Amino acid sequence: MPSPRALTDHLDALLEIDDFRDYGPNGLQVPANADVQTVVTGVSAHVDLFSAAAQEGADLIVVHHGLFWRGQPLEVTAPMYRRLRLLFDHDMALAAYHLPLDAHPRHGNNALLAEGLGGLRPRPFAASEGRDIGVRVEFDGDGLGLAELTDRVRDLVGGREPLVVDGGPERIRSLGIVSGGGTDYVHEAVALGLDAFLTGEPAERAFGIARDEGIHFLAAGHHATETFGVRRLGDLLADEFGVRHVFVDVPNPI
């Protein structure tokens, strides 16, 4: 069976992590000794996920939000100790992919959201640290009504009701997508003349921006919009290396 390093080297190359300036390290964050038979994927690195991964017999955990972020305390805090202790006690490696996983044109969160919503002709959108991380798409014909787009978003994220600010045109023919906490990219969507913008976690200012600028704003949950990429990575590793993949969705209303 492959080592954690072999799997993460494969993902590092696939996602071109060296091309991104990110808020934390991408790739292998915590090593382990065992070869990998089971990969667990999840959105965020915390105790609930690690406990569930241990129950699944995980050898490698792959997440979108890792352990280490710019500006966090430099010492090992009590919560960090609990997280690391679970990884060490169960000999589980941890890898994280943040902006590279948002941005990937085939396997990223935004590309998969666009595909799931039926968007056509995807193009890069929303520059972060020098790289576009979002996707903008079109809807042919008469486009979609806001109710239909809302229904598609709700179904795609597993039934969660999105927050919707009705500020745009009657028919939606263009949509910008930035998963997670992407509220302020709505300004780029406005500048491009897009009819609607979808993100995960809203900020209060989004209401006024949407109504004043004439664009629909939808927020479907930070966590809910970022389950897609890590799940895809686990499936790719299962296909490429013959490992077992389990996606663990720890419920998160944010």
Side-chain angles (χ1 to χ4, degrees):
M1 300 302 292
S3 67
R5 177 63 70 179
L7 297 188
T8 58
D9 283 350
H10 178 74
L11 295 179
D12 292 355
L14 175 70
L15 298 174
E16 300 179 332
I17 65 171
D18 292 337
D19 292 346
F20 288 83
R21 295 175 56 203
D22 211 333
Y23 309 102
N26 289 291
L28 188 64
Q29 293 192 345
V30 179
N33 296 311
D35 289 339
V36 179
Q37 298 185 59
T38 296
V39 174
V40 164
T41 57
V43 175
S44 298
H46 51 62
V47 166
D48 287 344
L49 176 64
F50 294 172
S51 296
Q55 292 177 0
E56 291 288 348
D59 306 295
L60 171 64
I61 304 171
V62 179
V63 296
H64 183 49
H65 303 129
L67 286 177
F68 307 109
W69 297 94
R70 184 190 308 162
Q72 73 181 37
L74 295 179
E75 72 272 14
V76 176
T77 61
M80 182 66 79
Y81 172 82
R82 290 194 293 272
R83 294 167 178 172
L84 291 172
R85 180 70 181 268
L86 275 166
L87 295 174
F88 296 155
D89 284 352
H90 295 278
D91 200 21
M92 297 185 295
L94 175 73
Y97 297 95
H98 186 230
L99 293 184
L101 186 55
D102 288 323
H104 196 276
R106 290 186 56 208
H107 307 306
N109 288 314
N110 296 306
L112 294 172
L113 283 166
E115 179 183 339
L117 294 173
L120 303 174
R121 294 176 287 280
R123 285 179 285 175
F125 161 74
S128 174
E129 301 285 348
R131 284 289 302 261
D132 288 325
I133 60 170
V135 173
R136 57 187 175 113
V137 293
E138 300 171 7
F139 300 102
D140 279 347
D142 290 335
L144 308 178
L146 181 58
E148 182 177 358
L149 178 59
T150 302
D151 289 345
R152 290 190 186 188
V153 171
R154 181 193 310 111
D155 292 344
L156 186 60
V157 299
R160 177 192 175 107
E161 190 69 34
L163 179 150
V164 178
V165 180
D166 181 356
E170 180 177 352
R171 305 303 296 178
I172 298 167
R173 296 178 176 83
S174 56
L175 171 69
I177 304 171
V178 180
S179 66
T183 288
D184 287 335
Y185 290 106
V186 69
H187 293 291
E188 187 170 336
V190 169
L192 290 168
L194 304 185
D195 298 325
F197 175 75
L198 169 66
T199 190
E201 184 178 344
E204 186 276 341
R205 56 190 172 273
F207 178 84
I209 294 169
R211 296 297 289 259
D212 292 349
E213 297 283 4
I215 189 171
H216 299 298
F217 180 94
L218 297 89
H222 194 136
H223 175 92
T225 58
E226 297 194 323
T227 63
F228 301 91
V230 286
R231 189 195 297 254
R232 173 62 64 85
L233 294 186
D235 289 343
L236 291 173
L237 292 178
D239 291 342
E240 182 74 19
F241 294 92
V243 297
R244 172 175 173 254
H245 169 224
V246 180
F247 173 70
V248 173
D249 190 13
V250 178
N252 183 341
I254 298 172

